[in-house]
Amino acid sequence: MQEERGRDIHFDVFDRVVAAQEWGKPGGRKVLAIHGWLDNSASFAPMTQHLEDVHFIALDTAGHGHSSHIAPGLAYNIWQDIGDIFAIADSLGWQEFNIVGHSRGAIIGALAAGTFPERILGLGLIDALAPGPVAAEDTPGQLAKSILDVARRQDKATSVFNDVETAIAARQKGLHTISSEAARLIVERGIKPVAGGYTWSSDPRLMSASALKLGQQQIEAFFDRISAQCCLIAASEGLQKYIAKQEGLLRRIQHIERHSFEGGHFLHMESQQKDIAQLMDAILG
């Protein structure tokens, strides 16, 4: 059984700090975990309690949690996170390792597994699969929107909450249902003290459009290269309907098992956490 709170560690990546939490110890199965959009590494704390023989490192991806924000004037794009994943793995001396991702982190994980397939042993995808494609003719508009969004949000003030409980209540009003207990884990790592109370530590530019998005054929090319043992879990009240529209991509993965659960998007933090952990455990190399 792991400690509920992970050990705080940091990596220097391309002149930025990428913060993380660590469970287990060297010698166990190597796992990098990637959280969802506007979440942080704490989202994996409940699931780690049900994993044995792992060296489990959950990242705060750039702009989230305790990690640095990217340089001014830039947008956040998923391929930057993929670069961070392999830079961190290299710093750990991990030539081969496993990836577990939730939501945006699952999308990043799948693309990472297609980028260097020989390095990924197991791939656990929790309630997401792939990015939505953008048609070639929409690419200029996508870039224009991103530039305008970044400029507008660069120095935008964020909400200030009187106390942590108010921030937790605000987090529960997000796009997906989440319990107060699960929200507390994410919020406590995702806020910072300011005059008058607390505000989010995440970069406001995370709300901006990506500069460029992949087209359908490009996404398919990544999925054709995935060779890892893969487990996909979909939530009935989460993104299951969206995942169902990506059936063609699932058929491109060589080794995949699929599971559906009743529940919301954060099922790996809620009552299903043990079941999710057991399914992830089965594909970790």
Side-chain angles (χ1 to χ4, degrees):
M1 185 69 70
Q2 314 294 338
E3 295 293 330
E4 183 176 0
R5 304 281 177 170
R7 299 180 294 276
D8 282 315
I9 57 175
H10 297 82
F11 301 94
D12 293 322
V13 181
F14 309 123
D15 297 323
R16 289 182 288 106
V17 172
V18 176
Q21 293 187 76
E22 177 184 39
W23 290 266
K25 57 185 179 180
R29 293 170 296 168
K30 306 173 181 70
V31 183
L32 282 183
I34 318 298
H35 61 80
W37 181 59
L38 299 181
D39 299 331
N40 54 60
S41 58
S43 67
F44 290 102
M47 195 179 79
T48 63
Q49 308 312 297
H50 309 287
L51 293 173
E52 301 289 347
D53 185 32
V54 290
H55 187 190
F56 193 103
I57 296 178
L59 306 180
D60 290 339
T61 58
H64 294 83
H66 294 176
S67 288
S68 300
H69 298 182
I70 61 174
L74 300 179
Y76 285 85
N77 296 285
I78 53 179
W79 52 82
Q80 295 162 329
D81 296 296
I82 295 171
D84 287 355
I85 286 171
F86 288 103
I88 289 167
D90 289 344
S91 73
L92 290 165
W94 291 5
Q95 179 57 33
E96 295 180 316
F97 58 100
N98 303 276
I99 293 177
V100 172
H102 170 246
S103 194
R104 179 178 183 267
I107 293 169
I108 292 168
L111 296 179
T115 302
F116 292 107
E118 70 281 3
R119 298 190 64 177
I120 308 304
L121 300 170
L123 177 63
L125 307 176
I126 303 173
D127 210 36
L129 178 64
V134 167
E137 60 268 25
D138 293 332
T139 304
Q142 178 72 31
L143 180 57
K145 185 178 189 312
S146 176
I147 291 170
L148 293 173
D149 276 357
V150 168
R152 180 166 58 91
R153 298 181 186 278
Q154 183 64 57
D155 299 310
K156 184 177 181 179
T158 56
S159 301
V160 175
F161 305 101
N162 293 332
D163 50 44
V164 175
E165 299 303 322
T166 305
I168 292 169
R171 184 66 181 78
Q172 288 188 267
K173 295 177 182 178
L175 182 62
H176 298 285
T177 301
I178 185 171
S179 68
S180 59
E181 294 82 3
R184 180 179 297 278
L185 283 172
I186 293 173
V187 167
E188 288 182 345
R189 191 171 177 86
I191 55 174
K192 60 182 179 181
V194 293
Y198 298 89
T199 192
W200 305 120
S201 62
S202 55
D203 192 334
R205 286 175 293 164
L206 287 164
M207 301 289 288
S208 302
S210 300
L212 294 172
K213 290 189 176 183
L214 299 173
Q216 182 63 29
Q217 288 183 316
Q218 292 171 310
I219 295 170
E220 290 172 356
F222 280 93
F223 276 75
D224 284 341
R225 286 167 54 86
I226 295 175
S227 59
Q229 294 290 332
C230 181
C231 178
L232 170 67
I233 293 169
S236 62
E237 298 172 29
L239 300 183
Q240 183 169 274
K241 291 181 180 178
Y242 183 74
I243 292 170
K245 296 178 182 179
Q246 300 175 320
E247 182 68 32
L249 293 176
L250 287 172
R251 291 195 294 267
R252 292 175 179 271
I253 300 176
Q254 298 176 33
H255 311 287
I256 184 167
E257 55 183 66
R258 302 161 58 178
H259 302 272
S260 296
F261 280 81
E262 294 296 321
H265 187 54
F266 290 91
L267 70 171
H268 65 308
M269 300 185 72
E270 308 285 9
S271 60
Q272 304 95 329
Q273 61 184 254
K274 184 174 182 180
D275 294 328
I276 305 301
Q278 289 174 341
L279 291 173
M280 295 292 108
D281 184 75
I283 54 95
L284 297 180

mmCIF file of all heavy atoms in Angstrom, residues 112-157:
data_model
loop_
_atom_site.group_PDB
_atom_site.id
_atom_site.type_symbol
_atom_site.label_atom_id
_atom_site.label_comp_id
_atom_site.label_asym_id
_atom_site.label_seq_id
_atom_site.Cartn_x
_atom_site.Cartn_y
_atom_site.Cartn_z
ATOM 1 N N ALA A 112 2.275 9.897 -27.399
ATOM 2 C CA ALA A 112 3.648 9.593 -26.989
ATOM 3 C C ALA A 112 4.010 8.152 -27.339
ATOM 4 O O ALA A 112 5.119 7.861 -27.788
ATOM 5 C CB ALA A 112 3.815 9.830 -25.485
ATOM 6 N N ALA A 113 3.052 7.232 -27.137
ATOM 7 C CA ALA A 113 3.288 5.818 -27.448
ATOM 8 C C ALA A 113 3.451 5.589 -28.934
ATOM 9 O O ALA A 113 4.065 4.600 -29.354
ATOM 10 C CB ALA A 113 2.149 4.965 -26.902
ATOM 11 N N GLY A 114 2.907 6.474 -29.754
ATOM 12 C CA GLY A 114 3.108 6.386 -31.190
ATOM 13 C C GLY A 114 4.345 7.109 -31.664
ATOM 14 O O GLY A 114 4.818 6.879 -32.773
ATOM 15 N N THR A 115 4.891 7.979 -30.824
ATOM 16 C CA THR A 115 6.097 8.725 -31.189
ATOM 17 C C THR A 115 7.340 7.863 -31.019
ATOM 18 O O THR A 115 8.187 7.777 -31.916
ATOM 19 C CB THR A 115 6.213 9.991 -30.312
ATOM 20 O OG1 THR A 115 5.041 10.792 -30.473
ATOM 21 C CG2 THR A 115 7.428 10.818 -30.717
ATOM 22 N N PHE A 116 7.470 7.225 -29.853
ATOM 23 C CA PHE A 116 8.585 6.298 -29.594
ATOM 24 C C PHE A 116 8.002 4.966 -29.116
ATOM 25 O O PHE A 116 8.078 4.622 -27.931
ATOM 26 C CB PHE A 116 9.542 6.867 -28.545
ATOM 27 C CG PHE A 116 10.319 8.072 -28.998
ATOM 28 C CD1 PHE A 116 10.012 9.334 -28.519
ATOM 29 C CD2 PHE A 116 11.349 7.944 -29.922
ATOM 30 C CE1 PHE A 116 10.721 10.449 -28.939
ATOM 31 C CE2 PHE A 116 12.074 9.055 -30.349
ATOM 32 C CZ PHE A 116 11.755 10.314 -29.855
ATOM 33 N N PRO A 117 7.402 4.207 -30.004
ATOM 34 C CA PRO A 117 6.699 2.987 -29.594
ATOM 35 C C PRO A 117 7.600 1.962 -28.913
ATOM 36 O O PRO A 117 7.139 1.207 -28.052
ATOM 37 C CB PRO A 117 6.133 2.437 -30.908
ATOM 38 C CG PRO A 117 6.931 3.085 -31.992
ATOM 39 C CD PRO A 117 7.304 4.434 -31.465
ATOM 40 N N GLU A 118 8.877 1.945 -29.281
ATOM 41 C CA GLU A 118 9.794 0.967 -28.710
ATOM 42 C C GLU A 118 10.076 1.226 -27.232
ATOM 43 O O GLU A 118 10.616 0.358 -26.529
ATOM 44 C CB GLU A 118 11.104 0.953 -29.495
ATOM 45 C CG GLU A 118 11.984 2.193 -29.342
ATOM 46 C CD GLU A 118 11.551 3.393 -30.185
ATOM 47 O OE1 GLU A 118 10.506 3.303 -30.875
ATOM 48 O OE2 GLU A 118 12.259 4.417 -30.138
ATOM 49 N N ARG A 119 9.686 2.377 -26.723
ATOM 50 C CA ARG A 119 9.989 2.731 -25.340
ATOM 51 C C ARG A 119 8.817 2.521 -24.384
ATOM 52 O O ARG A 119 8.994 2.568 -23.169
ATOM 53 C CB ARG A 119 10.464 4.191 -25.254
ATOM 54 C CG ARG A 119 11.742 4.448 -26.030
ATOM 55 C CD ARG A 119 12.322 5.816 -25.728
ATOM 56 N NE ARG A 119 12.717 5.927 -24.327
ATOM 57 C CZ ARG A 119 13.307 7.004 -23.813
ATOM 58 N NH1 ARG A 119 13.536 8.060 -24.585
ATOM 59 N NH2 ARG A 119 13.648 7.047 -22.530
ATOM 60 N N ILE A 120 7.616 2.318 -24.910
ATOM 61 C CA ILE A 120 6.434 2.234 -24.055
ATOM 62 C C ILE A 120 5.971 0.782 -23.936
ATOM 63 O O ILE A 120 5.596 0.149 -24.916
ATOM 64 C CB ILE A 120 5.288 3.110 -24.606
ATOM 65 C CG1 ILE A 120 5.788 4.532 -24.867
ATOM 66 C CG2 ILE A 120 4.121 3.110 -23.628
ATOM 67 C CD1 ILE A 120 6.416 5.206 -23.647
ATOM 68 N N LEU A 121 5.980 0.268 -22.716
ATOM 69 C CA LEU A 121 5.611 -1.126 -22.448
ATOM 70 C C LEU A 121 4.105 -1.296 -22.290
ATOM 71 O O LEU A 121 3.506 -2.206 -22.859
ATOM 72 C CB LEU A 121 6.326 -1.607 -21.185
ATOM 73 C CG LEU A 121 7.857 -1.590 -21.214
ATOM 74 C CD1 LEU A 121 8.415 -1.853 -19.818
ATOM 75 C CD2 LEU A 121 8.373 -2.621 -22.199
ATOM 76 N N GLY A 122 3.518 -0.446 -21.466
ATOM 77 C CA GLY A 122 2.081 -0.502 -21.219
ATOM 78 C C GLY A 122 1.489 0.888 -21.319
ATOM 79 O O GLY A 122 2.145 1.882 -20.975
ATOM 80 N N LEU A 123 0.248 0.962 -21.794
ATOM 81 C CA LEU A 123 -0.408 2.247 -22.005
ATOM 82 C C LEU A 123 -1.815 2.178 -21.417
ATOM 83 O O LEU A 123 -2.680 1.466 -21.931
ATOM 84 C CB LEU A 123 -0.468 2.554 -23.501
ATOM 85 C CG LEU A 123 -1.183 3.836 -23.929
ATOM 86 C CD1 LEU A 123 -0.467 5.069 -23.380
ATOM 87 C CD2 LEU A 123 -1.265 3.902 -25.455
ATOM 88 N N GLY A 124 -2.049 2.900 -20.337
ATOM 89 C CA GLY A 124 -3.357 2.936 -19.703
ATOM 90 C C GLY A 124 -4.059 4.246 -20.013
ATOM 91 O O GLY A 124 -3.545 5.319 -19.686
ATOM 92 N N LEU A 125 -5.215 4.164 -20.649
ATOM 93 C CA LEU A 125 -5.955 5.351 -21.078
ATOM 94 C C LEU A 125 -7.278 5.420 -20.318
ATOM 95 O O LEU A 125 -8.118 4.536 -20.451
ATOM 96 C CB LEU A 125 -6.220 5.292 -22.581
ATOM 97 C CG LEU A 125 -4.996 5.057 -23.480
ATOM 98 C CD1 LEU A 125 -5.421 4.924 -24.936
ATOM 99 C CD2 LEU A 125 -3.980 6.175 -23.296
ATOM 100 N N ILE A 126 -7.446 6.467 -19.537
ATOM 101 C CA ILE A 126 -8.633 6.612 -18.702
ATOM 102 C C ILE A 126 -9.520 7.724 -19.258
ATOM 103 O O ILE A 126 -9.182 8.908 -19.194
ATOM 104 C CB ILE A 126 -8.251 6.907 -17.239
ATOM 105 C CG1 ILE A 126 -7.332 5.798 -16.690
ATOM 106 C CG2 ILE A 126 -9.514 7.024 -16.374
ATOM 107 C CD1 ILE A 126 -6.769 6.096 -15.312
ATOM 108 N N ASP A 127 -10.632 7.333 -19.822
ATOM 109 C CA ASP A 127 -11.700 8.204 -20.313
ATOM 110 C C ASP A 127 -11.252 9.249 -21.339
ATOM 111 O O ASP A 127 -11.718 10.395 -21.301
ATOM 112 C CB ASP A 127 -12.435 8.878 -19.150
ATOM 113 C CG ASP A 127 -13.904 9.142 -19.512
ATOM 114 O OD1 ASP A 127 -14.484 8.307 -20.222
ATOM 115 O OD2 ASP A 127 -14.447 10.170 -19.082
ATOM 116 N N ALA A 128 -10.404 8.850 -22.247
ATOM 117 C CA ALA A 128 -10.061 9.658 -23.428
ATOM 118 C C ALA A 128 -9.168 8.804 -24.305
ATOM 119 O O ALA A 128 -8.544 7.839 -23.848
ATOM 120 C CB ALA A 128 -9.384 10.967 -23.065
ATOM 121 N N LEU A 129 -9.081 9.173 -25.578
ATOM 122 C CA LEU A 129 -8.307 8.380 -26.528
ATOM 123 C C LEU A 129 -7.423 9.240 -27.412
ATOM 124 O O LEU A 129 -6.215 9.043 -27.465
ATOM 125 C CB LEU A 129 -9.252 7.545 -27.395
ATOM 126 C CG LEU A 129 -8.606 6.682 -28.480
ATOM 127 C CD1 LEU A 129 -7.715 5.610 -27.848
ATOM 128 C CD2 LEU A 129 -9.685 6.041 -29.356
ATOM 129 N N ALA A 130 -8.014 10.186 -28.144
ATOM 130 C CA ALA A 130 -7.268 10.931 -29.155
ATOM 131 C C ALA A 130 -7.807 12.350 -29.267
ATOM 132 O O ALA A 130 -8.956 12.621 -28.906
ATOM 133 C CB ALA A 130 -7.376 10.224 -30.511
ATOM 134 N N PRO A 131 -6.998 13.259 -29.785
ATOM 135 C CA PRO A 131 -7.491 14.627 -29.992
ATOM 136 C C PRO A 131 -8.509 14.671 -31.121
ATOM 137 O O PRO A 131 -8.513 13.813 -32.004
ATOM 138 C CB PRO A 131 -6.220 15.397 -30.363
ATOM 139 C CG PRO A 131 -5.329 14.368 -30.982
ATOM 140 C CD PRO A 131 -5.602 13.096 -30.234
ATOM 141 N N GLY A 132 -9.368 15.655 -31.079
ATOM 142 C CA GLY A 132 -10.279 15.867 -32.189
ATOM 143 C C GLY A 132 -9.507 16.433 -33.375
ATOM 144 O O GLY A 132 -8.698 17.343 -33.210
ATOM 145 N N PRO A 133 -9.695 15.877 -34.570
ATOM 146 C CA PRO A 133 -8.930 16.336 -35.732
ATOM 147 C C PRO A 133 -9.416 17.688 -36.241
ATOM 148 O O PRO A 133 -10.564 18.078 -36.021
ATOM 149 C CB PRO A 133 -9.189 15.243 -36.765
ATOM 150 C CG PRO A 133 -10.550 14.722 -36.409
ATOM 151 C CD PRO A 133 -10.628 14.787 -34.906
ATOM 152 N N VAL A 134 -8.512 18.392 -36.904
ATOM 153 C CA VAL A 134 -8.855 19.649 -37.552
ATOM 154 C C VAL A 134 -8.585 19.511 -39.044
ATOM 155 O O VAL A 134 -7.526 19.021 -39.448
ATOM 156 C CB VAL A 134 -8.033 20.816 -36.960
ATOM 157 C CG1 VAL A 134 -8.143 22.066 -37.825
ATOM 158 C CG2 VAL A 134 -8.518 21.136 -35.545
ATOM 159 N N ALA A 135 -9.537 19.909 -39.855
ATOM 160 C CA ALA A 135 -9.360 19.846 -41.311
ATOM 161 C C ALA A 135 -8.281 20.825 -41.745
ATOM 162 O O ALA A 135 -8.093 21.880 -41.129
ATOM 163 C CB ALA A 135 -10.684 20.172 -42.002
ATOM 164 N N ALA A 136 -7.571 20.477 -42.812
ATOM 165 C CA ALA A 136 -6.463 21.302 -43.284
ATOM 166 C C ALA A 136 -6.890 22.741 -43.532
ATOM 167 O O ALA A 136 -6.170 23.693 -43.188
ATOM 168 C CB ALA A 136 -5.873 20.693 -44.556
ATOM 169 N N GLU A 137 -8.073 22.923 -44.096
ATOM 170 C CA GLU A 137 -8.515 24.278 -44.428
ATOM 171 C C GLU A 137 -8.833 25.123 -43.191
ATOM 172 O O GLU A 137 -8.932 26.352 -43.273
ATOM 173 C CB GLU A 137 -9.755 24.230 -45.339
ATOM 174 C CG GLU A 137 -10.956 23.536 -44.750
ATOM 175 C CD GLU A 137 -11.027 22.052 -45.092
ATOM 176 O OE1 GLU A 137 -9.962 21.452 -45.368
ATOM 177 O OE2 GLU A 137 -12.148 21.500 -45.093
ATOM 178 N N ASP A 138 -8.962 24.454 -42.025
ATOM 179 C CA ASP A 138 -9.254 25.184 -40.795
ATOM 180 C C ASP A 138 -7.993 25.550 -40.018
ATOM 181 O O ASP A 138 -8.057 26.219 -38.981
ATOM 182 C CB ASP A 138 -10.168 24.353 -39.898
ATOM 183 C CG ASP A 138 -11.549 24.165 -40.490
ATOM 184 O OD1 ASP A 138 -11.980 25.046 -41.251
ATOM 185 O OD2 ASP A 138 -12.180 23.129 -40.203
ATOM 186 N N THR A 139 -6.827 25.117 -40.504
ATOM 187 C CA THR A 139 -5.574 25.348 -39.794
ATOM 188 C C THR A 139 -5.241 26.827 -39.630
ATOM 189 O O THR A 139 -4.840 27.258 -38.535
ATOM 190 C CB THR A 139 -4.418 24.613 -40.492
ATOM 191 O OG1 THR A 139 -4.742 23.225 -40.596
ATOM 192 C CG2 THR A 139 -3.125 24.753 -39.706
ATOM 193 N N PRO A 140 -5.368 27.667 -40.656
ATOM 194 C CA PRO A 140 -5.074 29.093 -40.457
ATOM 195 C C PRO A 140 -5.953 29.735 -39.388
ATOM 196 O O PRO A 140 -5.476 30.524 -38.561
ATOM 197 C CB PRO A 140 -5.328 29.709 -41.840
ATOM 198 C CG PRO A 140 -5.139 28.579 -42.798
ATOM 199 C CD PRO A 140 -5.668 27.375 -42.080
ATOM 200 N N GLY A 141 -7.228 29.390 -39.400
ATOM 201 C CA GLY A 141 -8.132 29.928 -38.391
ATOM 202 C C GLY A 141 -7.768 29.473 -36.988
ATOM 203 O O GLY A 141 -7.900 30.225 -36.016
ATOM 204 N N GLN A 142 -7.321 28.216 -36.870
ATOM 205 C CA GLN A 142 -6.891 27.691 -35.575
ATOM 206 C C GLN A 142 -5.714 28.493 -35.033
ATOM 207 O O GLN A 142 -5.684 28.871 -33.860
ATOM 208 C CB GLN A 142 -6.503 26.215 -35.720
ATOM 209 C CG GLN A 142 -5.996 25.556 -34.455
ATOM 210 C CD GLN A 142 -7.091 25.317 -33.433
ATOM 211 O OE1 GLN A 142 -8.235 25.099 -33.790
ATOM 212 N NE2 GLN A 142 -6.746 25.372 -32.157
ATOM 213 N N LEU A 143 -4.732 28.757 -35.879
ATOM 214 C CA LEU A 143 -3.568 29.534 -35.449
ATOM 215 C C LEU A 143 -3.962 30.956 -35.081
ATOM 216 O O LEU A 143 -3.501 31.499 -34.070
ATOM 217 C CB LEU A 143 -2.511 29.542 -36.554
ATOM 218 C CG LEU A 143 -1.229 30.321 -36.254
ATOM 219 C CD1 LEU A 143 -0.555 29.816 -34.989
ATOM 220 C CD2 LEU A 143 -0.274 30.244 -37.442
ATOM 221 N N ALA A 144 -4.823 31.564 -35.871
ATOM 222 C CA ALA A 144 -5.264 32.927 -35.583
ATOM 223 C C ALA A 144 -5.970 33.003 -34.232
ATOM 224 O O ALA A 144 -5.721 33.912 -33.430
ATOM 225 C CB ALA A 144 -6.190 33.414 -36.696
ATOM 226 N N LYS A 145 -6.854 32.040 -33.979
ATOM 227 C CA LYS A 145 -7.570 32.008 -32.701
ATOM 228 C C LYS A 145 -6.599 31.855 -31.540
ATOM 229 O O LYS A 145 -6.737 32.505 -30.493
ATOM 230 C CB LYS A 145 -8.584 30.870 -32.695
ATOM 231 C CG LYS A 145 -9.473 30.836 -31.451
ATOM 232 C CD LYS A 145 -10.494 29.716 -31.543
ATOM 233 C CE LYS A 145 -11.531 29.798 -30.424
ATOM 234 N NZ LYS A 145 -10.972 29.989 -29.094
ATOM 235 N N SER A 146 -5.592 31.006 -31.706
ATOM 236 C CA SER A 146 -4.614 30.782 -30.654
ATOM 237 C C SER A 146 -3.844 32.063 -30.336
ATOM 238 O O SER A 146 -3.661 32.426 -29.164
ATOM 239 C CB SER A 146 -3.642 29.676 -31.071
ATOM 240 O OG SER A 146 -2.641 29.508 -30.095
ATOM 241 N N ILE A 147 -3.390 32.751 -31.362
ATOM 242 C CA ILE A 147 -2.621 33.986 -31.152
ATOM 243 C C ILE A 147 -3.452 35.014 -30.394
ATOM 244 O O ILE A 147 -2.975 35.657 -29.451
ATOM 245 C CB ILE A 147 -2.140 34.542 -32.508
ATOM 246 C CG1 ILE A 147 -1.080 33.605 -33.102
ATOM 247 C CG2 ILE A 147 -1.577 35.953 -32.345
ATOM 248 C CD1 ILE A 147 -0.701 33.929 -34.535
ATOM 249 N N LEU A 148 -4.700 35.171 -30.786
ATOM 250 C CA LEU A 148 -5.575 36.129 -30.122
ATOM 251 C C LEU A 148 -5.874 35.713 -28.680
ATOM 252 O O LEU A 148 -5.890 36.543 -27.761
ATOM 253 C CB LEU A 148 -6.874 36.280 -30.911
ATOM 254 C CG LEU A 148 -6.748 36.923 -32.298
ATOM 255 C CD1 LEU A 148 -8.079 36.855 -33.033
ATOM 256 C CD2 LEU A 148 -6.264 38.358 -32.190
ATOM 257 N N ASP A 149 -6.104 34.413 -28.477
ATOM 258 C CA ASP A 149 -6.387 33.906 -27.136
ATOM 259 C C ASP A 149 -5.220 34.139 -26.188
ATOM 260 O O ASP A 149 -5.392 34.584 -25.047
ATOM 261 C CB ASP A 149 -6.679 32.402 -27.187
ATOM 262 C CG ASP A 149 -8.121 32.085 -27.522
ATOM 263 O OD1 ASP A 149 -8.921 33.023 -27.657
ATOM 264 O OD2 ASP A 149 -8.442 30.879 -27.641
ATOM 265 N N VAL A 150 -4.011 33.820 -26.652
ATOM 266 C CA VAL A 150 -2.825 33.970 -25.804
ATOM 267 C C VAL A 150 -2.626 35.430 -25.417
ATOM 268 O O VAL A 150 -2.347 35.757 -24.255
ATOM 269 C CB VAL A 150 -1.574 33.418 -26.520
ATOM 270 C CG1 VAL A 150 -0.305 33.828 -25.783
ATOM 271 C CG2 VAL A 150 -1.647 31.898 -26.613
ATOM 272 N N ALA A 151 -2.763 36.328 -26.376
ATOM 273 C CA ALA A 151 -2.603 37.755 -26.089
ATOM 274 C C ALA A 151 -3.629 38.226 -25.058
ATOM 275 O O ALA A 151 -3.322 39.014 -24.151
ATOM 276 C CB ALA A 151 -2.734 38.556 -27.377
ATOM 277 N N ARG A 152 -4.843 37.721 -25.166
ATOM 278 C CA ARG A 152 -5.912 38.145 -24.272
ATOM 279 C C ARG A 152 -5.736 37.598 -22.859
ATOM 280 O O ARG A 152 -6.095 38.250 -21.876
ATOM 281 C CB ARG A 152 -7.250 37.673 -24.850
ATOM 282 C CG ARG A 152 -8.475 38.030 -24.028
ATOM 283 C CD ARG A 152 -9.740 37.839 -24.846
ATOM 284 N NE ARG A 152 -9.869 36.483 -25.342
ATOM 285 C CZ ARG A 152 -10.499 35.511 -24.687
ATOM 286 N NH1 ARG A 152 -11.020 35.757 -23.493
ATOM 287 N NH2 ARG A 152 -10.600 34.310 -25.205
ATOM 288 N N ARG A 153 -5.151 36.400 -22.750
ATOM 289 C CA ARG A 153 -5.048 35.749 -21.449
ATOM 290 C C ARG A 153 -3.679 35.883 -20.795
ATOM 291 O O ARG A 153 -3.492 35.426 -19.666
ATOM 292 C CB ARG A 153 -5.379 34.253 -21.591
ATOM 293 C CG ARG A 153 -6.792 33.986 -22.075
ATOM 294 C CD ARG A 153 -7.072 32.497 -22.176
ATOM 295 N NE ARG A 153 -8.361 32.223 -22.758
ATOM 296 C CZ ARG A 153 -9.514 32.237 -22.089
ATOM 297 N NH1 ARG A 153 -9.502 32.506 -20.794
ATOM 298 N NH2 ARG A 153 -10.659 31.984 -22.695
ATOM 299 N N GLN A 154 -2.713 36.495 -21.485
ATOM 300 C CA GLN A 154 -1.336 36.517 -21.003
ATOM 301 C C GLN A 154 -1.226 37.025 -19.562
ATOM 302 O O GLN A 154 -0.567 36.430 -18.723
ATOM 303 C CB GLN A 154 -0.476 37.382 -21.925
ATOM 304 C CG GLN A 154 0.992 37.412 -21.542
ATOM 305 C CD GLN A 154 1.647 36.050 -21.663
ATOM 306 O OE1 GLN A 154 1.643 35.442 -22.724
ATOM 307 N NE2 GLN A 154 2.211 35.555 -20.572
ATOM 308 N N ASP A 155 -1.880 38.128 -19.259
ATOM 309 C CA ASP A 155 -1.787 38.715 -17.915
ATOM 310 C C ASP A 155 -3.158 38.801 -17.250
ATOM 311 O O ASP A 155 -3.394 39.665 -16.404
ATOM 312 C CB ASP A 155 -1.146 40.108 -17.999
ATOM 313 C CG ASP A 155 0.264 40.060 -18.567
ATOM 314 O OD1 ASP A 155 1.063 39.247 -18.066
ATOM 315 O OD2 ASP A 155 0.555 40.806 -19.508
ATOM 316 N N LYS A 156 -4.049 37.906 -17.659
ATOM 317 C CA LYS A 156 -5.409 37.946 -17.119
ATOM 318 C C LYS A 156 -5.423 37.560 -15.635
ATOM 319 O O LYS A 156 -4.805 36.580 -15.228
ATOM 320 C CB LYS A 156 -6.309 37.000 -17.910
ATOM 321 C CG LYS A 156 -7.766 37.055 -17.479
ATOM 322 C CD LYS A 156 -8.639 36.154 -18.350
ATOM 323 C CE LYS A 156 -10.096 36.233 -17.911
ATOM 324 N NZ LYS A 156 -10.969 35.379 -18.755
ATOM 325 N N ALA A 157 -6.132 38.346 -14.844
ATOM 326 C CA ALA A 157 -6.267 38.038 -13.424
ATOM 327 C C ALA A 157 -7.171 36.823 -13.250
ATOM 328 O O ALA A 157 -8.112 36.612 -14.019
ATOM 329 C CB ALA A 157 -6.853 39.231 -12.684
#
